[in-house]
Amino acid sequence: MSVVGAQPFIKPMQPTPSVSPGVQRRHTLPASEVRPLNTQDAISVFEIEREAFISVSGECPLHLDEVRHFLTLCPELSMGWIEEGRLVAFIIGSLWDQDRLTADALTLHKPRGSTVHIHILAVHRTFRQQGKGNILLWRYLQYLRCLPNVRRAVLMCEDDLIPFYRKSGFKVLGRCAITVANMTFTEMWYPISGHAYMRRNSCLSF
């Protein structure tokens, strides 16, 4: 899937201040930016994920090799929030081609699918309770509107996270067919709507 038309959307979250010629920059990293992830980010992704999920459920949604797997196959369906060179929050997704999630959706990327399966959204512990998860999810969903073949996003979550995703516009599909150990999940979906003209212009005018 090409993301050439979507690239203008992923840009620094704060404009870089202008500096007079006589003033030397202390560093060249933008204060805050959002960008697609790549395999070089895999270890940072997994460290955040492991801390966020192992302490709560004892399970990671994605193991390190699976993180690398999806960042190799479909990096354009990932999004990372970087502050001064440090990953503070991220989303990893892949394409799916069925109405509901099955166990295969945990490991497969279906390039011809029109559904984005959001595998994981996680925020570094130092940056939680600051609204970063909500903001990153909103930006991700808007970014998906720039991808011409995507029609909806789906995810599976534990029941206590349903209110969080509902605030972002997700709707409950029902109980998920996937179980992990003794955990069950609710499947939720979000429509990626809009005519092609509207989708194209929303990407360029952000």
Side-chain angles (χ1 to χ4, degrees), residues 38-52:
N38 57 61
T39 53
Q40 293 181 341
D41 299 306
I43 292 177
S44 296
V45 164
F46 187 66
E47 288 176 349
I48 295 174
E49 178 193 11
R50 182 172 54 186
E51 187 280 328

Side-chain angles (χ1 to χ4, degrees), residues 53 156-166 188:
F53 288 90
M156 48 186 263
C157 67
E158 295 181 77
D159 288 352
D160 59 345
L161 288 174
I162 292 175
F164 171 83
Y165 288 110
R166 271 187 168 147
M188 305 187 74

